[in-house]
Amino acid sequence: MRIALLGGTGDIGEGLALRSTRDTDHEIVVGSRDPEKARDRAAVYEDELAGRGIDAKVNGFANPMAADRADVAVACVPAYHLADTVEAVADSLDDTILVSPAVGMQRDEGGMHYNPPGVGSVTALAADAAPEDVPVVGAFHGLAAGRLADLDSDLGWDVPVVGDDEAAKATVTALVDAIDGLRGLDAGPLAAAPEVESLTPLLINVAANNESLADLGVRFD
Amino acid sequence: MRIALLGGTGDIGEGLALRSTRDTDHEIVVGSRDPEKARDRAAVYEDELAGRGIDAKVNGFANPMAADRADVAVACVPAYHLADTVEAVADSLDDTILVSPAVGMQRDEGGMHYNPPGVGSVTALAADAAPEDVPVVGAFHGLAAGRLADLDSDLGWDVPVVGDDEAAKATVTALVDAIDGLRGLDAGPLAAAPEVESLTPLLINVAANNESLADLGVRFD
Ligand SMILES: C[C@@H](OP(=O)(O)OC[C@@H](O)[C@@H](O)[C@@H](O)Cn1c2nc(=O)[nH]c(=O)c-2cc2ccc(O)cc21)C(=O)N[C@@H](CCC(=O)N[C@@H](CCC(=O)O)C(=O)O)C(=O)O
Ligand SMILES: C[C@@H](OP(=O)(O)OC[C@@H](O)[C@@H](O)[C@@H](O)Cn1c2nc(=O)[nH]c(=O)c-2cc2ccc(O)cc21)C(=O)N[C@@H](CCC(=O)N[C@@H](CCC(=O)O)C(=O)O)C(=O)O
Ligand SMILES: NC(=O)c1ccc[n+]([C@@H]2O[C@H](COP(=O)([O-])OP(=O)(O)OC[C@H]3O[C@@H](n4cnc5c(N)ncnc54)[C@H](OP(=O)(O)O)[C@@H]3O)[C@@H](O)[C@H]2O)c1
Ligand SMILES: NC(=O)c1ccc[n+]([C@@H]2O[C@H](COP(=O)([O-])OP(=O)(O)OC[C@H]3O[C@@H](n4cnc5c(N)ncnc54)[C@H](OP(=O)(O)O)[C@@H]3O)[C@@H](O)[C@H]2O)c1
């Protein structure tokens, strides 16, 4: 499959690009608002992989070009810029599954809090912004970017996956499972996205309050 | 310590009573609205433990009597009856730490959803209902009652603990850690209770959507 990482120049994009390239046969394309930045970051990812003996091509393009002919496009951008990003690539999303890993949060003196948009979840916001026939799936929310991008780290994390299109959800779950140390789990339809997204501030709060813990993910058992 | 399980006649009360009695030296007291029901259930718990060679006394009383002289009182009642239960024992809560394991939830066709009261969390509701000098701690929300009560099951679960009183939180965390297979983790102040409580519907949704999974808890790593 061809997987586009929109805004894949950032923290979560780096980890997804490195691990998907290392662990799967999928073609990874890094997107950015700025094609030159996309190419630069793609080259950085290639170098990181080459340093580990993995000879792989990672291409970088402007987001719409990255999304073009992609089977899956992961919108690796801040929640508050997700709708813009999806609208900017809307014309390139034929037969593409759109994946949202985004979580809206707000920090106060109590810690990090879930702060969903009015439609109920960020995944629902992505679905509203996408063309009607584009299946939207929520996934990857609970993966700490720092550890994901550290290829020396063994993960052992679960990834709850939500969405209304069962075939799209199965494709994304298989994509998750193909990455070493990740297990995709069905967490229900799009309407169950708030429960999935609100795990992220809990992970951040637990890491912030326990000195021995950082960059947490989660395992269900 | 003396630990009162208010409404400890129910599902989560059973598991907490059995495991605390088996794994710690604490004195467990089962509370109920009905003292006879409390005594009956306490006897059932004693029998279950005796069948495993554990000879321990478990007492049963009306909730206010159970709370009397307790170091910790866990309100093991449905979220929507928590305030009533706390008010009913308020006069007995001198020097007692009140613990809430309660989660307000609503089910619809999308699955289980977090449904907090207007004050923001069920733990905050407990704090509002309790006398002002009673420290309130949220804990035990993510423990599946069925597996907790099955003493043959090894848990390996984490328990996020929230509250504003650091000493009370440390006492409850130590209580959690004393149960085999549980690890207490500081999840922040009372204001971070929504993030802790909303883990429960996610656990229920993941179990409901994955045939191989049931009675889930969680491990942070
Ligand atoms: C804890 C971390 O702080 P930070 O870099 O500001 O990042 C804080 C968070 O943004 C970061 O932990 C995110 O991964 C949090 N986070 C999310 N953050 C988000 O903003 N959005 C998310 O959706 C999100 C999801 C998420 C899921 C799981 C999880 O565990 C964490 C998640 C850190 O290491 N801080 C350092 C400073 C940064 C640092 O170490 N920089 C080094 C370089 C680090 C390196 O070696 O790469 C340096 O300046 O030399 C410190 O406090 O000492
Ligand atoms: C899945 C379970 O259904 P249930 O008994 O209705 O219970 C459903 C849920 O209430 C139960 O899973 C709760 O533990 C869910 N749950 C919470 N439920 C809540 O209502 N509130 C909570 O705060 C809560 C927290 C929680 C945390 C973690 C977690 O994993 C689950 C949590 C089940 O086993 N159902 C059986 C029917 C019940 C059953 O098996 N009965 C047997 C006896 C079972 C036995 O051997 O004890 C029988 O009738 O013969 C089935 O679907 O086949
Ligand atoms: N950090 C984590 O641990 C983590 C974990 C799981 C999920 N997530 C989620 O993943 C998403 C990305 O997080 P991140 O930490 O990777 O973020 P990030 O590094 O801050 O940003 C990612 C990319 O977003 C693009 N971007 C920034 N502002 C934008 C705008 N106004 N419009 C369009 N694109 C913009 C940038 O790409 P260009 O400049 O190249 O366009 C940037 O490189 C967020 O929604 C977050 O909630 C994060
Ligand atoms: N089930 C789980 O897996 C689980 C896991 C973690 C946390 N929790 C939380 O723990 C709490 C108890 O859950 P549970 O499953 O144990 O519930 P439960 O078995 O349905 O009820 C527990 C007890 O609550 C008491 N109760 C019922 N109605 C009441 C009322 N109107 N006023 C006062 N007390 C009443 C009853 O005790 P008496 O009749 O003896 O008074 C009952 O035995 C809930 O808040 C739940 O969210 C549950």
Side-chain angles (χ1 to χ4, degrees), chain A residues 9-12 32-33 37 76-78 81 101-103 140-141 143 145:
Chain A
T9 52
D11 290 341
I12 191 79
S32 169
R33 289 166 298 176
K37 183 178 173 186
C76 304
V77 302
H81 304 298
V103 180
F140 302 120
H141 306 89
L143 305 181

Side-chain angles (χ1 to χ4, degrees), chain B residues 13-26:
Chain B
E14 176 173 8
L16 290 177
L18 293 176
R19 293 205 182 244
S20 302
T21 304
R22 188 191 64 176
D23 299 339
T24 79
D25 292 328
H26 301 308

